[in-house]
């Protein structure tokens, strides 16, 4: 359990989108420094440029080690990875330059938290489709898959928007692959992790809902056997462990319950069952993500990369402060 003001490493996100703007705009509101000691991880020159564009009154301090940080008024500590060329910096484009910087900042943040130099990590917005440009052999598409690769852990992604919490059994994978990944063991593991996380977020006795995979929840096997062979046994075992969980719900019932916010968290089988609904149902620019199943706390400030909106005054700094609020709740229980 963390007692002092926690040290949180925040990666820069997509330099060609709104990542740096979200980060620096939130820092300028001074709310972040009130609750934690933030350490920014990224390219100092890019951040300095963006800081000037948004006319922030805060000063960036370049450091290369945590021990050099100074947590003083209007000072933003930046661990400079010096991995981008300011002359190649163009807002609103897709670039392999960002991809390499994204991977390096994520690696650096994870190394710091594993060495107990920081307490948690928050990743700023990025663009999924450009992550694989620089290292095609890596086969990662987002923060969760790269965390899983580095730590050799199976992880899950929970998205939060206010009291609405959703998580999927699978990450960003093709539908044909997703179906094969839905096993009794993985469904049960997800239910347990989601239940524990929702408790850490302040709900003592969570009420969870689990979706089906097939139409009409398989219709007793007529439309598929995954519900009978994999999902239902996992739910039954979770109930035997004392977890309050409903399902498997057919697609329409699952959606109806999400819209009514009937449960404390919703577990889907694949991406579009939950994430799309969360982004459509509430302000899509005010959600955050928590990577579950890893031995570290790694959160994501949602909003999308915003390649079409940098420097257009539509950045939502609230997405980062909201993410920090969730991280602080987790830190209090660990």
């Amino acid at each position: 359990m963390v007692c002092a003001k926690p040290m949180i490493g925040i990666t820069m996100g997509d330099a060609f989108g709104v990542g740096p703007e979200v980060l620096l705009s939130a820092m300028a509101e001074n709310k972040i420094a009130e609750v934690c000691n933030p350490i920014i991880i990224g390219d100092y020159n890019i951040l300095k440029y963006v800081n000037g564009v948004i006319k922030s009154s805060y000063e960036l301090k370049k450091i290369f080690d945590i021990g050099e940080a100074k947590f003083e008024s209007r000072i933003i500590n930046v661990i400079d990875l010096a991995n981008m060329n300011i002359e190649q910096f163009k807002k609103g484009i897709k670039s392999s330059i960002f991809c390499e910087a994204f991977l390096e900042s994520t690696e650096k943040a994870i190394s710091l938290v594993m060495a107990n130099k920081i307490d948690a990590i928050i990743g700023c917005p990025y663009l999924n489709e450009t992550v694989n440009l620089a290292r095609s052999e890596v086969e990662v598409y987002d923060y969760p898959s790269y965390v899983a690769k580095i730590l050799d852990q199976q992880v899950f992604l929970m998205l939060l928007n206010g009291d609405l919490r959703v998580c999927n059994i699978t990450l960003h994978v093709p539908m044909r692959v997703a179906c094969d990944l839905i096993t009794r063991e993985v469904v049960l593991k997800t239910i347990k992790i989601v239940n524990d996380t929702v408790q850490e977020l302040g709900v003592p006795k969570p009420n969870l809902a689990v979706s089906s995979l097939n139409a009409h929840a398989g219709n007793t096997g007529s439309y598929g056997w995954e519900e009978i062979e994999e999902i239902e046994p996992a739910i039954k075992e979770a109930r035997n462990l004392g977890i309050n969980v409903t399902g498997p719900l057919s697609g329409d019932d699952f959606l109806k319950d999400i819209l009514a916010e009937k449960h404390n968290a919703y577990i889907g089988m694949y991406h579009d069952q939950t994430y799309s609904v969360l982004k459509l149902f509430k302000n899509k620019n005010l959600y955050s993500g928590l990577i579950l199943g890893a031995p570290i706390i790694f959160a994501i400030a949602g909003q999308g990369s915003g390649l079409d909106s940098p420097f257009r005054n539509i950045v939502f700094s609230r997405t980062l402060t909201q993410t920090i609020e969730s991280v602080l709740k987790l830190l209090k229980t660990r």
Side-chain angles (χ1 to χ4, degrees):
M1 182 179 295
V2 177
C3 297
K5 188 185 288 189
M7 188 99 67
I8 298 180
I10 308 176
T11 64
M12 185 172 69
D14 191 343
F16 296 94
V18 296
E21 287 177 81
V22 169
L23 169 55
L24 295 171
S25 296
M27 291 293 297
E29 293 177 2
N30 202 37
K31 296 179 181 179
I32 293 178
E34 292 177 358
V35 296
C36 71
N37 290 329
I39 297 287
I40 312 309
I41 303 167
D43 186 278
Y44 173 82
N45 287 329
I46 298 296
L47 288 164
K48 183 178 180 180
Y49 171 78
V50 175
N51 202 47
V53 171
I54 66 173
K55 296 180 171 58
S56 170
S57 61
Y58 278 58
E59 176 187 348
L60 271 59
K61 175 179 172 57
K62 182 193 297 188
I63 64 175
F64 297 96
D65 184 80
I66 295 292
E68 302 173 32
K70 291 185 178 180
F71 300 103
E72 301 174 352
S73 177
R74 298 191 175 280
I75 296 293
I76 300 176
N77 294 282
V78 179
I79 292 183
D80 184 20
L81 300 183
N83 53 5
M84 299 186 71
N85 186 339
I86 191 68
E87 295 179 358
Q88 296 175 305
F89 181 58
K90 295 181 180 179
K91 300 295 287 183
I93 65 171
K94 301 174 184 178
S95 172
S96 61
I97 300 171
F98 150 69
C99 174
E100 186 63 35
F102 166 88
L103 296 174
E104 289 179 3
S105 64
T106 304
E107 292 164 0
K108 180 65 175 180
I110 292 176
S111 70
L112 289 172
V113 77
M114 293 300 288
N116 294 317
K117 292 187 176 182
I118 59 176
D119 298 300
I121 303 167
I122 294 177
C124 279
Y126 64 99
L127 182 64
N128 286 18
E129 61 191 85
T130 62
V131 172
N132 214 29
L133 289 177
R135 304 184 201 170
S136 58
E137 76 283 358
V138 174
E139 294 185 356
V140 296
Y141 308 97
D142 48 27
Y143 284 118
S145 60
Y146 203 42
V147 170
K149 185 175 184 65
I150 292 175
L151 299 179
D152 192 25
Q153 296 271 341
Q154 181 179 30
V155 303
F156 308 92
L157 178 62
M158 174 186 283
L159 295 188
L160 306 91
N161 196 329
D163 291 330
L164 182 58
R165 310 171 187 91
V166 300
C167 184
N168 289 324
I169 304 296
T170 57
L171 296 173
H172 290 100
V173 296
M175 274 299 301
R176 294 182 185 277
V177 175
C179 293
D180 292 335
L181 294 175
I182 297 167
T183 66
R184 174 176 178 172
E185 292 75 20
V186 176
V187 173
L188 177 61
K189 182 177 182 179
T190 309
I191 293 172
K192 291 165 66 176
I193 290 175
V194 168
N195 186 70
D196 291 345
T197 303
V198 175
Q199 287 180 328
E200 290 179 313
L201 291 173
V203 181
K205 297 181 179 180
N207 175 10
L208 311 181
V210 177
S211 75
S212 60
L213 172 65
N214 298 297
H216 301 290
N219 194 27
T220 64
S222 299
Y223 305 145
W225 291 94
E226 286 83 0
E227 285 75 19
I228 295 174
E229 296 179 351
E230 309 293 347
I231 304 173
E232 289 178 6
I235 291 174
K236 182 177 180 180
E237 190 169 345
R239 288 174 181 156
N240 291 337
L241 295 173
I243 298 174
N244 183 4
V245 55
T246 299
L249 299 175
S250 62
D252 49 354
D253 286 337
F254 188 65
L255 176 59
K256 181 172 63 177
D257 281 7
I258 291 178
L259 295 177
E261 296 190 70
K262 187 176 179 180
H263 307 275
N264 300 120
Y266 303 84
I267 300 171
M269 296 297 117
Y270 55 89
H271 184 280
D272 289 1
Q273 274 188 318
T274 58
Y275 297 160
S276 299
V277 178
L278 177 138
K279 294 175 185 179
L280 290 171
F281 178 44
K282 292 195 173 184
N283 191 327
K284 68 177 182 178
N285 295 310
L286 288 178
Y287 71 91
S288 53
L290 295 175
I291 298 177
L292 312 183
I296 62 175
I297 295 177
F298 196 127
I300 304 165
Q303 182 171 318
S305 66
L307 290 182
D308 60 341
S309 58
F311 303 150
R312 286 171 53 189
N313 297 319
I314 57 174
V315 169
F316 292 84
S317 59
R318 173 62 182 159
T319 187
L320 182 55
T321 55
Q322 176 177 279
T323 305
I324 288 177
E325 290 170 6
S326 297
V327 168
L328 293 177
K329 289 180 181 179
L330 296 182
L331 285 170
K332 288 180 180 179
T333 63
R334 299 187 183 184

